[in-house]
Every structure is written in structure tokens, then in C-alpha cells.
Amino acid sequence: MADKHMLRGLIKHALRDPWVDRFEVVLASHTMPACEEAGVDLDDAVSIIGQDLFASTIWACAFEDFLTRDFEDGGNVVDDYLKRRGWKETASVRAYIAALRDSTMSLYEVSDVVRDTSFRARDLIRGGEPVLVSERSATQTLKCWDRIAARIVQVGSKMQISGGVLPFEREVAEALITAFNQLGTLSIEEQRELAEEAGEEFDDDFDGEAALAALAPAERLRLVAPMFSSFWLIDAIDRIESARLPELRNAEGDELLLCEVSFRLGTGITGDEIGRCLQARPEFRPTSATSWSWVGQRERGGTAPDDDSPEETLMFETLQEDGMLQLGELLLEDDTLVLCVNSQQRCNRGCALLTEILGPRVGLPLIRTEAVEEMLESSRAAMPTPDEIPEHERRAVVHQHLERHYREVLDQPVAMLDGQTPRQAVEDESGRAKVVDWLKLIENRTAKSDGPMADYDFGWLWAELGVANLRR
């Protein structure tokens, strides 16, 4: 993957007049459809996925698309730059820039990843045999059968990958391929460009859909390069947004906040005396000799969520058998009475109520709060770690388990194979294709896992099913 600094001079040139306005139009074509679909503006989209990720993906893809564009006046930014400033660049950089000038974005399936050296890429749209790509940085993260949108260019005797790379989940990649095969609409600018290439007049009689369908896949890919960015950006926004915690509220609409209130018992005050005071009040129901539930009527229309709050809100409530709402819990620990509730509002009410009931029998409340996010983080940090087993032993155990599992699966129905077993499915050509897709899916997902599963070799499974020759 080419370093961005290789294009530093070209980027500076492109962001000056007369090119900068043209680039902004291209960038908008890569971002606006996704923003409209997600219901956000561009600044929001950048904020959601992060400035660095946006720059290395969407911006880079839009810029490389811009480098291929021939505008109405016949101008192209690469031609202009090489003519005016090309003498400043090394021969290798000039060759790379010239290769980008004629490049095409496509969707590729990755295989044969050799760390720090190379990988093979099979074009899922144009077909053909996989090509060997010389690469270092991308091989640090690429896994076998990953699907990526990228520009693969030949510089000298080697095939290289450009800087703008979009990794796709399998389901999104399949949807993108389907959408590409069903292309039928173009923007006004794209239709005008298509008409010029077809030697036709761009008017009301021009059939853009028919002209597009008549193009070879490579030409269609060049015209619809922004589609890759749109699919990736929509999916990225959706994944990030759905990964966030929904707004959490209790039954009264209060935002969740874990509150623990400690009341130190006064001098000479016993637990029995505190118990008698609480027993006299219907709000507190004993659950043991030293614990009580604080209950109340289930109220509606308390603290309602704001209009600006997230659409997805989870409500938490605990009800007693008679329908009374549990507001909190009380626990008597030695010389301290502890109240636990799940919101600041309940904390305030509980403190006032207990102070009214117990009066001078307890001291001032000591309050400790913890947000839900903080609780989850501390819980993760406190999770026990596995016993110290040597790495090679852990790997051996995991790999043995995986082999046993998949040997059993060979003779079990698989939904992805239309309910056939893998051994049954490979008996005909259609089934073999599905088996190959299934093997690629499980191999890719395993490679992306953490720990000793990641380097498990599925080669024996391909050989067992007689499809090792299709592992490419």
C-alpha cells in the first residue's frame, strides 16, 4: 500500500485552483448518498467514524477517483501535475501516479497472505485469475478470504495496491455485487460523460440505462466508483452506532446511575432498633433479618426522555408479586445502613425518606455513584484471567477441538448448504461452489478471532472434501 507522502505534492496541487472545486464535487459523490441514507451530515459522519479513519478510507478513495477523472475542458489533474511539477518527483513516484491515472476500483477477495511480502487478489466483479500483489503494510491485518475494495495497479514489473482500501464484511460485499449487476441509474454528470464516450447527444432521448448496460464491467466500475464508498460508509456508520450502548432508564424515566448511600448508625443505636423503624413503614418490605426492599407505586410520566435522546432506549424495572415497583434495596451491615438505587432522583428521595424515618439514629448520608459504562469497564477489568498455560499447549488443545468439531460437521446438515452435509454437497458442481463459499466463510471468521484459533489451518478440510484445487 503506497504511503500517503508519495502523493504529497499531487495532493497540494489538487487542492488549489482550478482543481479544488472539482475535487469537492467528487468527494460529495462519495459521501452524500451515504449521509442521506444514514440521516446525518458530512461532519456528523466524520465524527462518527473518526477523522483518521475517514481520511484513510473515504477521502483517499475519493481522491484516487478524482485522479482518473477527465473533465469537460479535457483537463485531468494528474496530467496537469506531471506536466508542471513532475520533474520534482522520482521516477518510481511518477510511475505510480501515472498508474493511478488509469486505475479502476473493484472488489477483491484476498488469499495466500504472506506477512510483510504479498497476497493474492481475485476480482469478484470482473473475474479472472487471482493476481499477486506485492505489499507489506496491508498484510499485517489482511486475513485469507477478506473482501476489500481497492485499486490494484502495475508499477514496473509488480502489482501494487493503492492507499484507498475499503474492507467489507461478506454480507455487504454480496449486496454490493448485486447492486453493481443491477445498475440502472446515473447522475446527470455521469450520464453526460457516458453520452460523450458513446458519441451520442446528451438530451431527453439519451437512454443512460441502456448505455450503461452496454459498457464492459471495467468501464462501469470507473463510472460508479463512488458506490464502493457509499456501501462502506453506510455499513461503518451503522456498525458504530449500533455498537453504542442504548440510553438506559428506569421505569420512572430516570437516567440510570448506580448509587450507593451509606448511613452510619448513631452511638448506641442497634440494628434491631433500625429494623423496627423500617418495619413500621409500608415502603420497606423485609427480605431477610438485615435487608429490605424499598417499594412504591408504579408511576408513569415521571422524568420522560428528552426529545434529543436516542431513539433506542432500554427501560429497567423490577416488580414485586403484587405489582409494586421495587425502587431500591436496603442492607444493614454491622454499624452501617446501605441503600442501593439506580438513579440520582431515587437517591435523593431515598435519602430524604430515611432521614425522615430514622432521624438522629443515623448520621449524614455518604453517597457513591457509578455510571453504567464505568461499571461495565470495571467488570471487564475484574474478570478472571485463564490459568497460565503455555501458549503452544493452549494452541494444541484449541486446534484439536476444532479438528474434532469439523470432522463431525462433515456429516451434519449445514444451512448454508441447503441442509445438505458437506460430503453430500460436493457431489455436484452447484454444491461444490456452495461448499467453497462455506469453507471460505468459516476460515475467514476463524482467522479474525483472538487467540490460538486465529492460525488454525483448514487445509485438511479442503482436501478431505476434494476441493483443495479451488482454494484460491
Side-chain angles (χ1 to χ4, degrees):
M1 185 183 299
D3 293 330
K4 191 175 180 180
H5 75 268
M6 291 179 62
L7 302 180
R8 186 176 301 159
L10 178 56
I11 291 173
K12 288 183 178 179
H13 186 74
L15 297 183
R16 297 173 181 154
D17 291 332
W19 301 107
V20 62
D21 290 341
R22 297 176 180 182
F23 171 64
E24 290 298 327
V25 172
V26 175
L27 180 61
S29 72
H30 280 253
T31 57
M32 288 303 101
C35 289
E36 291 174 4
E37 176 74 18
V40 299
D41 59 27
L42 181 57
D43 289 340
D44 290 335
V46 174
S47 177
I48 290 169
I49 72 171
Q51 178 67 49
D52 291 344
L53 182 58
F54 179 84
S56 64
T57 53
I58 300 300
W59 193 96
C61 290
F63 185 74
E64 290 172 1
D65 181 22
F66 173 64
L67 300 183
T68 70
R69 301 289 185 104
D70 292 311
F71 293 91
E72 290 183 6
D73 60 2
N76 171 271
V77 68
V78 169
D79 295 345
D80 186 54
Y81 177 72
L82 291 178
K83 179 180 178 181
R84 296 172 182 269
R85 296 284 187 269
W87 59 271
K88 291 187 174 183
E89 303 287 5
T90 64
S92 61
V93 171
R94 288 199 302 272
Y96 175 66
I97 291 174
L100 282 180
R101 163 75 168 87
D102 299 318
S103 66
T104 303
M105 190 82 155
S106 193
L107 184 68
Y108 295 92
E109 182 179 68
V110 172
S111 62
D112 296 335
V113 180
V114 180
R115 193 177 179 89
D116 295 324
T117 303
S118 64
F119 66 91
R120 291 191 183 274
R122 182 167 68 92
D123 196 320
L124 296 175
I125 292 179
R126 290 175 288 187
E129 291 297 310
V131 297
L132 182 65
V133 180
S134 298
E135 176 57 32
R136 294 190 62 185
S137 60
T139 59
Q140 306 292 322
T141 55
L142 283 177
K143 304 299 181 184
C144 194
W145 315 125
D146 275 351
R147 295 185 173 192
I148 60 173
R151 294 172 186 269
I152 294 179
V153 297
Q154 183 168 356
V155 182
S157 61
K158 294 183 177 180
M159 303 299 290
Q160 297 182 12
I161 192 172
S162 68
V165 177
L166 302 173
F168 281 94
E169 292 296 326
R170 185 182 184 86
E171 295 78 7
V172 183
E174 292 295 336
L176 193 153
I177 293 172
T178 299
F180 178 80
N181 291 332
Q182 296 175 347
L183 282 173
T185 58
L186 292 172
S187 68
I188 296 299
E189 293 76 14
E190 290 166 337
Q191 290 190 59
R192 181 179 290 108
E193 182 179 355
L194 184 57
E196 292 174 356
E197 292 184 354
E200 300 182 30
E201 290 293 328
F202 178 64
D203 52 28
D204 292 340
D205 295 327
F206 178 69
D207 189 344
E209 182 174 345
L212 180 63
L215 287 178
E219 288 303 308
R220 275 189 286 162
L221 282 170
R222 187 182 61 78
L223 283 171
V224 298
M227 184 173 71
F228 293 94
S229 298
S230 295
F231 269 72
W232 185 89
L233 186 54
I234 290 170
D235 181 59
I237 291 173
D238 182 63
R239 287 179 180 277
I240 293 171
E241 292 282 78
S242 61
R244 294 175 177 171
L245 278 176
E247 187 173 82
L248 306 176
R249 293 181 179 270
N250 63 23
E252 297 162 311
D254 305 333
E255 185 176 351
L256 286 196
L257 181 69
L258 306 180
C259 302
E260 183 180 279
V261 187
S262 300
F263 295 87
R264 181 64 64 86
L265 304 190
T267 303
I269 302 299
T270 66
D272 289 341
E273 185 176 351
I274 296 296
R276 287 193 295 272
C277 293
L278 294 175
Q279 189 174 353
R281 300 293 296 247
E283 300 99 321
F284 297 100
R285 295 179 174 180
T287 54
S288 75
T290 56
S291 63
W292 298 263
S293 288
W294 175 28
V295 300
Q297 291 290 341
R298 187 178 183 184
E299 297 180 0
R300 294 297 183 189
T303 306
D306 298 329
D307 291 339
D308 295 332
S309 64
E311 291 184 7
E312 186 175 356
T313 302
L314 289 183
M315 306 296 289
F316 288 83
E317 63 179 19
T318 303
L319 300 177
Q320 299 280 304
E321 291 183 359
D322 60 359
M324 294 289 283
L325 181 65
Q326 182 164 319
L327 303 174
E329 295 178 339
L330 272 174
L331 179 63
L332 190 59
E333 298 178 330
D334 298 328
D335 60 350
T336 303
L337 182 66
V338 180
L339 169 67
C340 296
V341 293
N342 64 11
S343 75
Q344 185 65 60
Q345 291 86 341
R346 287 185 183 178
C347 177
N348 296 340
R349 288 163 55 196
C351 287
L353 181 59
L354 289 172
T355 298
E356 173 193 337
I357 295 171
L358 302 175
R361 298 179 180 86
V362 295
L364 295 174
L366 177 63
I367 302 174
R368 185 174 69 86
T369 64
E370 185 177 29
V372 174
E373 292 83 356
E374 295 172 337
M375 180 196 70
L376 292 175
E377 187 61 35
S378 60
S379 297
R380 282 191 289 265
M383 288 180 65
T385 57
D387 295 334
E388 289 299 325
I389 303 175
E391 183 63 25
H392 69 279
E393 292 184 17
R394 291 180 58 208
R395 180 176 287 103
V397 170
V398 171
H399 287 196
Q400 288 170 10
H401 170 77
L402 287 172
E403 181 165 347
R404 285 196 303 271
H405 170 72
Y406 284 113
R407 285 201 181 278
E408 293 175 359
V409 170
L410 285 172
D411 298 300
Q412 295 175 352
V414 175
M416 192 171 170
L417 305 179
D418 298 329
Q420 290 186 303
T421 71
R423 292 192 195 278
Q424 292 171 336
V426 294
E427 294 299 320
D428 59 63
E429 185 176 350
S430 174
R432 277 194 297 277
K434 292 177 182 178
V435 167
V436 168
D437 284 342
W438 171 68
L439 288 170
K440 288 179 177 180
L441 179 63
I442 62 176
E443 188 170 351
N444 182 249
R445 287 180 175 174
T446 303
K448 290 180 177 179
S449 64
D450 295 326
M453 288 179 60
D455 61 355
Y456 181 70
D457 186 1
F458 281 86
W460 71 268
L461 191 52
W462 290 75
E464 183 80 13
L465 291 168
V467 292
N469 61 312
L470 301 177
R471 196 184 183 196
R472 54 186 176 82

